[in-house]
Amino acid sequence: MDEREYMRECPVTLALVAANAICFIICEFLGGSEDSDVLLRMGAAVTDRILGGEIWRLISCMFLHIGIAHLINNMIVLIALGQYVEPTIGHIKYLILYLVGGLAGSLLSVANDVMRGNTGTLSAGASGAVFALIGAYTVMAMRGKIDNRRLSFGRLAFGVCLAVLPGFYTPGVGVAAHVGGLVAGGILGLILG
């Protein structure tokens, strides 16, 4: 898919990348995307605050990233999978998939924090939403809804393992958000695809 075709077929993907990039730039201007106070002001998720009524953080945290590497990793996957998923299910359903998958990741992350008694930790990132795309893509590819000749199921499974496994031994990685997004994406892939 060339650039012009991508722009025509994947406008929601491009808008989501732009929104994430703009939020990152704003954080940098306010003091840095790795500064907890800046992230907190911008809407990062903190379970204590969410349980205290700041429910909007469940969504706003999806557009914030802690450092440039975090942003780039998520946006690469978003761009790569967007070219398959968005044209297949349509722009509105794709946006719903992204937002609901990210919300599911946020909710599972909150539940995990409560169960672990770790409700003061700050989290941010589009990983839950991105994993929802991975889940939806996998389900739709298995059902023959997506032409997956350029991205084989084996490569995708390997990529998912590489993305998920470090979360089990790297501090600060929201495995619950990844799992929540992946499962929600798989379910939505069945429904929307």
Side-chain angles (χ1 to χ4, degrees), residues 1 6 9-21 62-65 69-87 89 91 94-99 102 125-134 137 151 156 163:
M1 185 180 295
Y6 193 98
E9 296 286 326
C10 307
V12 176
T13 299
L14 294 174
L16 290 169
V17 170
N20 279 278
M62 281 187 249
F63 295 93
L64 301 172
H65 289 83
H70 189 205
L71 174 71
I72 289 172
N73 288 339
N74 279 333
M75 295 307 101
I76 286 172
V77 178
L78 177 58
I79 290 167
L81 288 178
Q83 69 182 309
Y84 298 102
V85 179
E86 185 173 352
I89 65 174
H91 310 306
Y94 179 77
L95 181 60
I96 291 168
L97 170 65
Y98 183 91
L99 294 173
S127 301
V130 166
F131 270 86
L133 297 182
I134 294 170
Y137 175 90
L151 182 62
L156 182 67

Side-chain angles (χ1 to χ4, degrees), residues 41 54 63 66-67 72 87 100 103 112 118 120 132 163:
R41 279 187 285 153
E54 296 179 16
F63 295 93
I66 303 168
I72 289 172
V100 172
L103 179 60
N112 184 54
N118 189 20

Side-chain angles (χ1 to χ4, degrees), residues 31-146:
S33 63
E34 296 183 48
D35 183 306
S36 316
D37 293 331
V38 170
L39 289 165
L40 196 57
R41 279 187 285 153
M42 289 290 291
V46 177
T47 297
D48 282 338
R49 290 194 175 218
I50 292 167
L51 296 175
E54 296 179 16
I55 299 169
W56 53 273
R57 290 181 182 277
L58 293 167
I59 299 287
S60 60
C61 69
M62 281 187 249
F63 295 93
L64 301 172
H65 289 83
I66 303 168
I68 188 73
H70 189 205
L71 174 71
I72 289 172
N73 288 339
N74 279 333
M75 295 307 101
I76 286 172
V77 178
L78 177 58
I79 290 167
L81 288 178
Q83 69 182 309
Y84 298 102
V85 179
E86 185 173 352
T88 300
I89 65 174
H91 310 306
I92 301 299
K93 289 179 182 178
Y94 179 77
L95 181 60
I96 291 168
L97 170 65
Y98 183 91
L99 294 173
V100 172
L103 179 60
S106 293
L107 288 170
L108 191 58
S109 187
V110 165
N112 184 54
D113 285 349
V114 169
M115 285 189 303
R116 291 172 166 248
N118 189 20
T119 58
T121 306
L122 181 140
S123 63
S127 301
V130 166
F131 270 86
L133 297 182
I134 294 170
Y137 175 90
T138 303
V139 167
M140 289 189 284
M142 288 170 53
R143 295 179 67 213
K145 302 287 184 184
I146 288 182

Side-chain angles (χ1 to χ4, degrees), residues 13-27:
T13 299
L14 294 174
L16 290 169
V17 170
N20 279 278
I22 289 167
C23 287
F24 181 81
I25 291 166
I26 292 169
C27 284

